[in-house]
Amino acid sequence: MIVALLSGGAAFAQIHQSEHRDSSMTNRTYNLNPIVVTGSGHHQRLKSTATPVHVLTNQEIHEQGIATFDAAIQRMMPQVSLAPNSMGTFLRMNGLGNKYILILINGQKLSGDISNNVDLNRINMSRVKRIEVLDGAASSLYGSDAIAGVINIITDQPTQNLICVSSDTRLSGHGQLTQNVGLDIFKNGFGSNTSFTHDRADSYRNNDYEYVKGSETDTQLSIAPLSTGFRSNIVGQKFTYSPNKRLALNAGVDLSDKTTDRPDTRTDITGGTDYEMRYRGVRWNVGGIYKFTSKNSLQADFTVDRFRYGKEYDVETKSNAVGDYVQSKKQRSMEGEAKAILGLTSHSTTIFGADWRKEYLKATSGNIQQDVYTLAAYAQHEILLFNHLTATLGLRLTHHETFNQHLTPKATLMYATGNFRFRGTYSAGFRAPGLDELYYHYFSVNRGKAQISFGNKDLTPEKSHYFSLNTEYRNHILAVSITGYINRINDMVVKNNVEVDNASLAMLRTEFPEMTDDQAAKLEHYALYQNSDKGDVKGLQMNVSANLFRGFNLSLNYAYTYARTKSGDEWRKLERSIRNAATIAANYHHAWGKYGLNVNMSGRLQSKTYYPDYEDAPGYGIWNLHTTHSFDCTRWAFIEPNIGVENLFNKVDRRIDSTKRKYALYSPGRMLVVGMKLRLKM
């Protein structure tokens, strides 16, 4: 069952977390104090972390009938919101957007974005063991981008002698289908995990009309989708080898592709497109760890991540034939890290680490081809000062090829007595402007209107200061956590709109000769990246989880976020921020012999979403009911059909599309969800 959500320096041990990889065995055992790695940089029990994390386990995700990464964090984390579109997903956490959230896979950064929208379909949920979430700045351990928080996806691997074949299918309305197939092999220290995932969905709208541009009274039919359809595939292969208890080696590769499925351009109705967006990703890594003793180890990892996207034409145009592919952007990152984890005394853990990262960007528009490297060294010392007081001090020195050196410190204190924990955290954040923000020279046309963006080589890095206080109580029945935090960001990089006058229009036509006379006549402004804003986010989070009786768990997670930004002397609400949000989940499980029943009711409630330059999106409440029926047929066969209803009370935002209107709820309404999980072990 879902646990109380952890915020900033706040967490409590997860109640009812499965010890098994398979989340659906008829008889389940639970670990009240799981091992985590993200908050401290080394493995330790959750209740012992001075900088704890929240854990979403494979079992909890499966019990709610969730098949995708974006659905997992949206439905289980109230401080996270998502806005999907054809360019990927705009992710917001604790009031701050994509570029302030560091997404890791086994501690290594996931690269690749489209206009700051992350392609979350690259994450293979069939291999996810757990998702660890750390709120607040964490640059002392993780470097640039870790200002709003860190999401670390931990993948699974076989550890027992077996051959296992599995299949997990999920089907719901609007053509939504997810199919996972896996083969696990482990024998005499050698492990192999092979997986394939196919994910698809159709485009849909909740209202067939849109307002005619420039009018709030005249409407016209439109086929522009509210939610964009797509087809995606992921093939993954991971190898592990442990010749003895001290040494563990691993290597893996993931191949991903995604193509949107939007309505084609038509002459009789607006909203169609001439092309689909096509994304491709290749990610591979090698690594290993050597344990000298139980408290002393050395580990190293090297990861290469390639991502590209472009336009694949479905409709013949003046310049392109059907089937033509025009690349828009190619990104590549290489990252190497070495880390020593040392138990220098019986009551301390010390980490020394160094990493190197190089990023490449090639963009067709403006003929951009740039790269930048980063070198960093960091140290962290965690020590039990007295019987009840634990302190952590960390420091990272980063050398950025463009922005020179930056120090990011961290300090935490945790006082533990009985069932209570009291935590205080300070951590600094750092974000170097991306290659697109520095060098972009972008021109595109959307519905006949030119869109232009310029990078700025004079940008400076963004810096943040994060403070949090937490009080926590937990025992085997009840866990309660309350956290208050402040996150302040300086020199925020934003896209400022610059009005077009005669002089600037002449400059733009020289820079972009492909701009037509009609497009130039309609051009009102262009975008320029600038350091102009300050950010100020204050929040309060409360998390409650209770085992009311055997087999039944209830949890409530609430997040209050007051997020503002300042340009010049004017403060205003951060775009897409949400003041109040809550997630609720109730889970009941019971087994009768070889049959197990699990019933899960979950909900997300949130207040309106702020759009300072547009109409605010109204709040909503979504409830989901999911049941799983587990059959341990034999020692080698396991079957689990499941059925549920998403958006139980049919909550839908049916407002008419407008140039001044934004959305927060993208659900098409009530949908039946069915699935089947099979597992064969030999």
Side-chain angles (χ1 to χ4, degrees):
M1 188 58 230
I2 186 173
V3 297
L5 190 61
L6 310 181
S7 57
F12 50 79
Q14 182 166 356
I15 294 177
H16 283 345
Q17 179 181 338
S18 173
E19 292 177 340
H20 300 295
R21 175 177 189 260
D22 190 279
S23 61
S24 320
M25 305 302 289
T26 56
N27 294 292
R28 303 180 184 179
T29 59
Y30 298 96
N31 178 7
L32 304 184
N33 189 26
I35 293 176
V36 295
V37 66
T38 304
S40 61
H42 64 96
H43 291 86
Q44 61 181 165
R45 293 292 179 180
L46 185 58
K47 74 174 184 180
S48 302
T49 60
T51 309
V53 297
H54 174 54
V55 182
L56 309 180
T57 67
N58 176 280
Q59 174 178 311
E60 296 162 351
I61 293 168
H62 187 71
E63 285 174 344
Q64 291 199 29
I66 296 170
T68 62
F69 175 78
D70 53 350
I73 57 177
Q74 171 89 338
R75 285 167 55 171
M76 303 173 76
M77 296 177 59
Q79 74 270 47
V80 172
S81 62
L82 301 171
N85 59 36
S86 61
M87 306 299 285
T89 302
F90 190 88
L91 180 65
R92 185 165 288 275
M93 180 176 173
N94 297 317
L96 298 171
N98 276 335
K99 63 184 181 180
Y100 302 105
I101 305 166
L102 186 60
I103 299 179
L104 309 173
I105 298 178
N106 296 320
Q108 305 300 312
K109 182 179 179 179
L110 177 69
S111 299
D113 66 84
I114 310 104
S115 300
N116 286 327
N117 294 277
V118 180
D119 183 15
L120 297 178
N121 287 98
R122 296 187 70 202
I123 299 171
N124 188 347
M125 288 297 290
S126 68
R127 292 173 55 184
V128 171
K129 181 179 182 180
R130 65 184 184 273
I131 301 172
E132 299 182 1
V133 181
L134 171 64
D135 287 304
S139 291
S140 64
L141 274 178
Y142 298 106
S144 181
D145 302 345
I147 286 181
V150 177
I151 300 175
N152 193 7
I153 300 150
I154 309 298
T155 61
D156 202 1
Q157 61 191 46
T159 57
Q160 298 176 344
N161 287 339
L162 56 78
I163 299 176
C164 178
V165 180
S166 62
S167 172
D168 194 352
T169 307
R170 182 185 186 273
L171 178 67
S172 62
H174 294 278
Q176 296 182 27
L177 168 68
T178 300
Q179 176 66 62
N180 296 315
V181 180
L183 171 64
D184 292 349
I185 301 173
F186 189 82
K187 185 70 173 179
N188 298 328
F190 172 80
S192 171
N193 178 285
T194 307
S195 61
F196 170 75
T197 297
H198 174 72
D199 198 8
R200 62 180 293 172
D202 295 338
S203 295
Y204 61 80
R205 292 178 58 87
N206 289 335
N207 193 309
D208 292 333
Y209 291 88
E210 67 178 12
Y211 285 113
V212 176
K213 185 179 178 181
S215 173
E216 289 297 324
T217 57
D218 299 330
T219 60
Q220 61 186 4
L221 287 170
S222 175
I223 55 174
L226 173 66
S227 179
T228 302
F230 64 90
R231 307 289 184 268
S232 74
N233 299 284
I234 306 174
V235 178
Q237 176 63 58
K238 184 174 183 179
F239 295 106
T240 60
Y241 181 58
S242 300
N244 52 58
K245 293 182 178 181
R246 294 181 181 273
L247 179 64
L249 305 173
N250 68 85
V253 62
D254 284 299
L255 308 176
S256 61
D257 72 82
K258 176 183 176 183
T259 304
T260 60
D261 187 10
R262 301 181 292 190
D264 292 343
T265 301
R266 290 166 46 180
T267 57
D268 60 328
I269 193 170
T270 186
T273 55
D274 296 336
Y275 56 85
E276 303 296 346
M277 301 302 301
R278 194 177 83 185
Y279 317 139
R280 297 290 186 271
V282 179
R283 179 185 176 90
W284 62 268
N285 70 280
V286 293
I289 181 171
Y290 184 79
K291 295 183 178 181
F292 301 96
T293 67
S294 61
K295 293 192 65 178
N296 295 273
S297 63
L298 180 65
Q299 63 185 65
D301 294 280
F302 182 76
T303 302
V304 176
D305 197 350
R306 298 172 181 263
F307 180 75
R308 63 173 179 158
Y309 76 93
K311 303 171 182 178
E312 188 172 77
Y313 281 81
D314 293 333
V315 176
E316 186 174 354
T317 67
K318 292 181 180 179
S319 55
N320 296 99
V322 174
D324 283 354
Y325 173 75
V326 179
Q327 183 169 288
S328 299
K329 185 177 179 182
K330 180 187 289 186
Q331 294 171 274
R332 177 162 57 100
S333 68
M334 297 188 296
E335 182 174 5
E337 181 181 21
K339 180 166 65 174
I341 303 173
L342 307 173
L344 300 178
T345 70
S346 59
H347 297 295
S348 71
T349 301
T350 305
I351 298 176
F352 295 104
D355 64 50
W356 167 84
R357 181 178 180 83
K358 190 159 188 175
E359 296 181 274
Y360 300 82
L361 169 66
K362 182 177 182 181
T364 304
S365 181
N367 194 27
I368 300 167
Q369 190 163 350
Q370 298 288 342
D371 60 80
V372 66
Y373 73 85
T374 303
L375 290 171
Y378 59 93
Q380 179 177 281
H381 185 63
E382 181 178 292
I383 185 169
L384 180 65
L385 296 175
F386 307 105
N387 287 337
H388 302 289
L389 186 65
T390 301
T392 304
L393 295 175
L395 184 67
R396 184 185 190 95
L397 174 62
T398 301
H399 172 77
H400 191 280
E401 182 179 4
T402 304
F403 301 110
N404 300 319
Q405 284 77 30
H406 293 274
L407 282 172
T408 47
K410 166 188 173 181
T412 70
L413 285 174
M414 181 179 73
Y415 182 77
T417 176
N419 293 325
F420 285 93
R421 300 288 185 274
F422 302 94
R423 297 182 175 94
T425 299
Y426 165 76
S427 54
F430 159 75
R431 194 187 82 85
L435 291 171
D436 53 348
E437 294 169 323
L438 292 169
Y439 301 110
Y440 237 22
H441 188 267
Y442 180 78
F443 175 85
S444 68
V445 179
N446 184 18
R447 299 187 185 184
K449 188 174 182 179
Q451 296 179 326
I452 296 174
S453 296
F454 282 102
N456 185 350
K457 298 178 184 178
D458 296 324
L459 293 175
T460 59
E462 301 173 78
K463 299 178 183 179
S464 71
H465 301 279
Y466 177 83
F467 306 86
S468 73
L469 293 173
N470 164 256
T471 300
E472 169 194 313
Y473 173 85
R474 66 175 298 275
N475 58 26
H476 67 286
I477 296 175
L478 176 68
V480 180
S481 176
I482 300 174
T483 301
Y485 68 88
I486 298 173
N487 199 1
R488 289 180 172 158
I489 307 102
N490 295 318
D491 298 319
M492 294 180 76
V493 177
V494 297
K495 265 187 180 182
N496 281 335
N497 288 330
V498 180
E499 291 188 6
V500 174
D501 55 22
N502 291 333
S504 60
L505 182 59
M507 177 272 293
L508 293 171
R509 299 213 63 175
T510 301
E511 293 286 335
F512 304 103
E514 63 268 36
M515 188 189 311
T516 66
D517 292 339
D518 182 60
Q519 293 164 357
K522 295 178 181 178
L523 189 63
E524 298 174 352
H525 61 261
Y526 65 93
L528 175 67
Y529 285 102
Q530 292 179 323
N531 289 104
S532 63
D533 285 15
K534 291 185 177 181
D536 186 85
V537 183
K538 300 180 178 71
L540 178 69
Q541 298 187 6
M542 181 175 71
N543 318 110
V544 180
S545 185
N547 294 317
L548 299 182
F549 53 86
R550 183 177 177 83
F552 183 80
N553 176 259
L554 178 68
S555 68
L556 167 65
N557 308 302
Y558 167 74
Y560 169 82
T561 307
Y562 183 56
R564 302 184 301 163
T565 182
K566 184 180 182 181
S567 281
D569 296 326
E570 179 187 358
W571 283 98
R572 67 175 187 171
K573 300 179 183 72
L574 264 172
E575 185 171 343
R576 301 178 191 255
S577 62
I578 300 166
R579 190 68 58 87
N580 299 281
T583 59
I584 304 170
N587 196 84
Y588 175 73
H589 178 81
H590 189 77
W592 294 270
K594 294 187 176 183
Y595 167 72
L597 171 66
N598 194 89
V599 181
N600 186 283
M601 174 74 83
S602 65
R604 179 183 175 94
L605 301 91
Q606 69 177 50
S607 59
K608 66 181 180 180
T609 303
Y610 293 105
Y611 288 94
D613 296 325
Y614 302 89
E615 178 183 320
D616 293 338
Y620 63 86
I622 294 288
W623 294 91
N624 309 290
L625 177 64
H626 190 75
T627 67
T628 57
H629 309 267
S630 307
F631 299 89
D632 278 327
C633 302
T634 66
R635 294 183 61 182
W636 52 270
F638 173 79
I639 302 174
E640 183 187 76
N642 57 82
I643 185 169
V645 180
E646 288 189 347
N647 197 349
L648 196 60
F649 301 108
N650 200 32
K651 182 67 175 177
V652 182
D653 188 347
R654 299 192 185 278
R655 293 176 300 156
I656 299 176
D657 283 355
S658 166
T659 56
K660 287 292 185 181
R661 182 160 290 164
K662 296 290 185 178
Y663 294 84
L665 176 59
Y666 293 85
S667 172
R670 184 186 301 116
M671 291 192 300
L672 180 68
V673 181
V674 296
M676 176 68 75
K677 185 171 185 177
L678 305 173
R679 190 177 186 190
L680 302 176
K681 294 191 295 184
M682 292 170 274

